[in-house]
Amino acid sequence: MTDQPPAPTPMPPASQPLAGEPDVARHEPGEPNAAGLGEPFAAGREADVFLLDDGRVLRRYRTGADTAHEAEIMAYAASHGYPVPAVYAASGPDMVMERLHGPTMAEAALAGELALEDGAVMLAELLRRLHELPPRGSAGRDTIIHLDLHPENVLITERGPVVIDWRNAGDGPGDLDTALSALIIAQVAIGSIEHPLGASIDAMLDRFLELAPGDPLRLLDDAAAYRGGQLTMSPDEVAMIGTAVARVRAGVR
């Protein structure tokens, strides 16, 4: 019997950067409005990002979702040396964070600045480091898991790769995290999710599966069920999850 995935905390569905549209639309910040924030210079499916100064941004959830859980996990990971944006304050739907400079892993690959195989090495190492963090002490939980770690959620900065978008993160089995990363990449590789990387990401998936921490197959069915339950997934994408699962299984040697 496989371990059960962690019970999700009731919250609005998290954004899915690889679900057919960019997670963040970036543009120049606007003039300050009555609240002093101006227009957002970036926007995702759930949140807007406002520039506060050269070193800080404000991320605000349009849904009103509370940022406390996300900020707590990010702070815990940072306290153990894991590369996350610094969080300066979190209250209600607002989180003040470090402003990071650099492309996503996907953008760097598209620009020819990062080979996909090297991206796979980087992604596997980030998961390994995350799963090696000491557990937070919850009974029956294994480690910190991100549950959305893929090439759009890694920024390549001057200090190295930094993991962003911790909205789904929690405590649970590392194998579930590894399986989800593989499954999301497989969805792009088979064309279920439209993304500029397209089928070229296939080589990245195979390399990732060679290096991924833990067992990417042990909780793959649980990962598929979790993925299929996300409301950001279209019916067509959900219908092809089984094909993506088969692609992951075929890549494990």
Side-chain angles (χ1 to χ4, degrees):
M1 180 181 296
T2 61
D3 293 342
Q4 292 299 311
T9 302
M11 60 180 63
S15 59
Q16 295 302 315
L18 291 179
E21 65 180 83
D23 178 50
V24 175
R26 307 181 189 184
H27 49 81
E28 292 301 314
E31 293 297 321
N33 57 22
L37 291 175
E39 294 299 318
F41 82 98
R45 295 188 175 195
E46 288 187 296
D48 295 313
V49 182
F50 300 88
L51 180 65
L52 298 180
D53 53 45
D54 190 56
R56 298 179 306 149
V57 296
L58 169 68
R59 184 180 184 187
R60 171 171 290 168
Y61 284 106
R62 293 188 296 274
T63 60
D66 189 19
T67 57
H69 175 75
E70 185 176 358
E72 178 185 347
I73 291 183
M74 292 173 68
Y76 182 85
S79 72
H80 291 279
Y82 195 79
V84 303
V87 177
Y88 302 121
S91 178
D94 293 347
M95 186 186 301
V96 178
M97 297 186 296
E98 172 188 10
R99 184 186 184 189
L100 297 170
H101 299 273
T104 66
M105 181 186 292
E107 289 170 339
L110 286 166
E113 299 168 356
L114 178 71
L116 284 170
E117 289 84 354
D118 292 338
V121 174
M122 188 182 298
L123 199 64
E125 176 66 8
L126 287 168
L127 276 170
R128 183 193 63 76
R129 289 177 59 188
L130 182 62
H131 299 165
E132 288 180 352
L133 296 182
R136 295 194 301 162
S138 300
R141 303 301 190 185
D142 297 337
T143 186
I144 299 292
I145 52 177
H146 186 275
L147 296 182
D148 203 19
L149 189 47
H150 53 67
E152 289 284 8
N153 280 340
V154 178
L155 290 181
I156 311 300
T157 73
E158 289 185 355
R159 72 171 188 252
V162 178
V163 177
I164 62 172
D165 197 355
W166 291 76
R167 186 77 178 96
N168 292 354
D171 306 283
D175 285 349
L176 179 65
D177 212 8
T178 296
L180 267 169
S181 292
L183 184 59
I184 293 170
I185 297 171
Q187 287 181 282
V188 177
I190 67 171
S192 168
I193 292 177
E194 294 183 6
H195 189 274
L197 286 172
S200 67
I201 207 171
D202 206 60
M204 180 183 196
L205 176 60
D206 286 333
R207 183 62 173 152
F208 173 76
L209 289 170
E210 290 177 8
L211 302 171
D215 183 351
L217 299 185
R218 187 174 72 89
L219 296 179
L220 182 57
D221 290 340
D222 293 327
Y226 177 91
R227 188 76 168 140
Q230 293 182 300
L231 299 181
T232 50
M233 298 283 291
S234 72
D236 287 344
E237 290 166 347
V238 171
M240 292 188 68
I241 286 178
T243 305
V245 166
R247 173 62 184 87
V248 173
R249 292 191 187 281
V252 176
R253 298 175 176 82

